[in-house]
Amino acid sequence: MRFFKKLMNVFSVKLADSAKASNKPTREIAVIGLGVTENAMLSEQALLALQSADLVIGSERQLLTLEKQLAFQPKVEALTEGEQQQVEPKAEVLPPRTEIIPKLKQLKALIETEQKVVVLGSGDPLYYGIGTWISKNFHDAAVRFFPAVSSITQACHSLSIAQQDVNVVSLHGRPLAKLKVELKAQQTLLLLTDKDSMPQHIAAICEQTGFTQAEIIVCERLGYSQQKISRFSVSELLTAESEGNLQNFDALHVSFVICGANKGYLPEFPGIKDTDFETGELGSKGMISKREVRLAILSLLQPSKNDIIWDIGAGCGGVAVELAYWQPQAKIYAIEHNQARFDCLLQNQQKFGVVNNLITQFGRAPEVLSEPPFSEQPAANKIFIGGSDGALPMLLEMLWEKLPEGGQIVVSAVMERTKSQLFDFYSIRDKVADSELETLQVAVNKSRTLGGQLAYKPALSVSLFSFTKNTQQNQEKEQ
């Protein structure tokens, strides 16, 4: 009887706690896009959210566009990424208190100080905007979005360019080298930029990669009375910078790149030329999987969004670079223990702009796999082994044990000993029936001139083995 009384007491406490939690008011967050205009034009719903807010957060420029609507507000906080400072209102109608917060990570704590909060955004808050961050960090809040005309839409309309014909790329807070992944022949890019991706910086990348005929169109202060649109060739921007005659561009701008012809090394389609990879003094011995073999490896791996792919024995980075280049939403980890090859891998990472999703690691597998960053994240769901330095049997067993269901290991082999080790592993997997198996050989004969005549020289054939983990078929077999 005592047991049941105790159980009822615990149950009653949990019910009371649940009731208290349910009575707690839900935080309301309104994310309002202001559009590209000097004076904000808000919908009735957005205006109502603004007027009922306990706290309004935005940059100084955004607050100034709302000076009429905020004239009666009791408290205003301003969000920016600059140094912390006190900002005096520039108009009497602004609220008496304006604070600038230096780092974005402080935004969450600031929002949690009030129940009804408005966060100001520029244009569409859910397109490279603050809205995505709000959604990820406030699951329990009632979040509403009020979009407006974005700088992207305004820029396209200012130049009579259909928005669906434009590839939008954000370089804001991202490495400039990322632009190399986006440059394609006859493509039109619209770049969201920052102080490290100004028009002259974009021109330098275009010249470096062979897009010397590109046109760069700079759209400044869109929607304002000082709106300005300027057109430049790559050479004009670089010459003006070298001669000290480069004009100052407003911080509030976006840039179009009309790419034109591709006369450089950046690829338009999978299968980068072997000679376009940096191999340093290693030359043809630079340890990259040759183009024809590399294409077969990519085809087997089928890199997909959210994949975590390890390239073990990455050499100079042929496979890792192509994986990262063609699937920017996968994470590629390239492991190489030879210093000369690793240096070339780093050069190729920069050369092809795969700086966001290609992570390089100097070291030897399997030892390096027990260290950060590998020890701090989920195991790879796809693995390519291009070199194992004699440790292949042990490496395969260890990787297979940790490989998730549906995960895949692809291995290349040239030497007979390596092929024999793979046949042994193949036989084990076939006997246990815990995987889907595929193997093929790639043999390529390349042309050369011999005695003034065209001839073909055979290269060593490469064997590829693919093992995809499927323990379900073993269970079905046993049943």
Side-chain angles (χ1 to χ4, degrees):
M1 193 69 178
R2 287 180 179 176
F3 171 77
F4 285 110
K5 284 184 177 179
K6 187 179 288 186
L7 186 63
M8 289 301 293
N9 287 336
V10 171
F11 186 64
S12 299
V13 168
K14 287 186 176 180
L15 281 177
D17 290 343
S18 178
K20 287 179 182 177
S22 63
N23 290 331
K24 185 179 179 180
T26 302
R27 177 169 287 104
E28 298 178 17
I29 302 174
V31 186
I32 301 177
L34 299 178
V36 283
T37 177
E38 288 178 281
N39 297 300
M41 298 178 65
L42 305 181
S43 66
E44 291 184 13
Q45 294 86 349
L47 188 57
L48 183 62
L50 186 68
Q51 292 174 345
S52 61
D54 302 315
L55 172 65
V56 178
I57 303 172
S59 68
E60 183 185 4
R61 178 185 63 81
Q62 291 168 338
L63 292 171
L64 286 171
T65 66
L66 287 172
E67 56 184 12
K68 293 180 180 178
Q69 292 89 340
L70 290 175
F72 53 85
Q73 291 295 309
K75 180 166 61 173
V76 175
E77 306 281 350
L79 177 68
T80 186
E81 294 185 6
E83 294 297 321
Q84 187 167 2
Q85 56 182 304
Q86 296 297 321
V87 177
E88 294 296 329
K90 293 187 177 181
E92 293 181 0
V93 292
L94 278 177
R97 180 184 174 200
T98 303
E99 295 181 8
I100 294 180
I101 297 176
K103 295 182 180 178
L104 188 61
K105 64 183 180 181
Q106 293 178 272
L107 177 58
K108 191 172 191 297
L110 177 59
I111 290 175
E112 289 173 345
T113 61
E114 301 289 355
Q115 282 300 119
K116 292 185 177 183
V117 180
V118 164
V119 179
L120 303 178
S122 299
D124 184 349
L126 285 172
Y127 194 74
Y128 291 114
I130 192 66
T132 305
W133 184 89
I134 295 286
S135 296
K136 289 179 179 178
N137 286 274
F138 291 92
H139 299 290
D140 299 330
V143 182
R144 293 180 297 158
F145 296 95
F146 302 92
V149 174
S150 67
S151 58
I152 297 166
T153 301
Q154 183 69 27
C156 286
H157 280 263
S158 297
L159 291 168
S160 301
I161 297 176
Q163 196 166 329
Q164 68 267 21
D165 295 333
V166 168
N167 182 19
V168 179
V169 180
S170 178
L171 296 176
H172 190 86
R174 295 170 174 84
L176 179 63
K178 179 190 173 187
L179 178 59
K180 297 177 183 179
V181 180
E182 306 295 341
L183 289 170
K184 297 287 183 293
Q186 314 309 326
Q187 176 69 274
T188 299
L189 305 178
L190 178 51
L191 309 180
L192 309 178
T193 58
D194 60 17
K195 63 181 178 62
D196 297 317
S197 50
M198 299 296 279
Q200 65 272 25
H201 303 143
I202 296 165
I205 291 289
C206 288
E207 183 184 56
Q208 176 188 338
T209 54
F211 285 87
T212 54
Q213 297 178 359
E215 181 183 22
I216 298 170
I217 306 173
V218 185
C219 305
E220 303 175 75
R221 299 195 68 80
L222 288 167
Y224 286 69
S225 57
Q226 305 94 346
Q227 176 173 307
K228 181 182 179 183
I229 296 177
S230 309
R231 296 172 179 265
F232 304 93
S233 67
V234 169
S235 59
E236 284 173 340
L237 282 167
L238 296 179
T239 300
E241 183 180 32
S242 65
E243 295 178 350
N245 297 325
L246 187 68
Q247 69 180 69
N248 292 321
F249 295 102
D250 193 277
L252 199 62
H253 79 271
V254 298
S255 294
F256 282 96
V257 179
I258 314 299
C259 293
N262 181 357
K263 297 185 177 182
Y265 62 85
L266 290 178
E268 298 287 334
F269 198 78
I272 299 172
K273 291 180 182 178
D274 296 339
T275 53
D276 284 338
F277 285 101
E278 298 296 330
T279 54
E281 295 180 358
L282 299 170
S284 60
K285 296 181 180 179
M287 294 299 288
I288 59 167
S289 297
K290 300 305 183 276
R291 175 166 59 178
E292 296 78 13
V293 177
R294 203 182 322 126
L295 282 169
I297 294 167
L298 263 64
S299 177
L300 287 170
L301 285 170
Q302 293 291 308
S304 306
K305 180 180 179 180
N306 297 330
D307 275 349
I308 297 176
I309 305 177
W310 294 348
D311 181 355
I312 297 174
C316 295
V319 171
V321 165
E322 288 237 32
L323 286 170
Y325 194 92
W326 301 113
Q327 182 44 268
Q329 297 189 74
K331 285 283 187 185
I332 316 299
Y333 292 82
I335 303 166
E336 177 53 49
H337 72 88
N338 180 283
Q339 187 63 61
R341 296 171 191 160
F342 187 76
D343 291 343
C344 292
L345 169 61
L346 295 178
Q347 291 174 42
N348 286 318
Q349 180 191 32
Q350 292 294 325
K351 182 174 184 178
F352 291 95
V354 285
V355 291
N356 271 12
N357 64 324
L358 174 56
I359 299 94
T360 57
Q361 181 68 43
F362 182 77
R364 190 188 303 269
E367 293 83 2
V368 74
L369 299 177
S370 61
E371 304 169 359
F374 304 99
S375 61
E376 300 170 346
Q377 63 176 20
N381 66 309
K382 293 179 181 177
I383 301 169
F384 171 64
I385 303 176
S388 58
D389 203 26
L392 185 59
M394 176 187 66
L395 191 59
L396 281 171
E397 289 296 335
M398 187 199 79
L399 294 173
W400 187 258
E401 183 180 347
K402 295 183 178 181
L403 193 70
E405 185 72 11
Q408 181 186 20
I409 298 177
V410 174
V411 191
S412 67
V414 176
M415 308 306 293
E416 292 304 319
R417 181 186 177 190
T418 308
K419 292 178 186 178
S420 176
Q421 293 170 341
L422 284 166
F423 276 124
D424 291 342
F425 189 73
Y426 181 103
S427 299
I428 294 171
R429 303 276 68 83
D430 187 47
K431 184 177 180 179
V432 178
D434 62 353
S435 68
E436 298 171 14
L437 307 171
E438 183 178 357
T439 182
L440 58 98
Q441 277 193 332
V442 181
V444 179
N445 298 340
K446 289 203 169 184
S447 65
R448 64 171 181 167
T449 302
L450 185 63
Q453 299 292 318
L454 181 67
Y456 290 92
K457 181 182 178 181
L460 290 173
S461 64
V462 179
S463 297
L464 298 177
F465 288 75
S466 172
F467 307 91
T468 303
K469 201 168 197 177
N470 184 0
T471 57
Q472 188 66 36
Q473 67 175 359
N474 189 18
Q475 296 172 4
E476 292 174 353
K477 199 173 182 180
E478 290 176 352
Q479 292 174 356

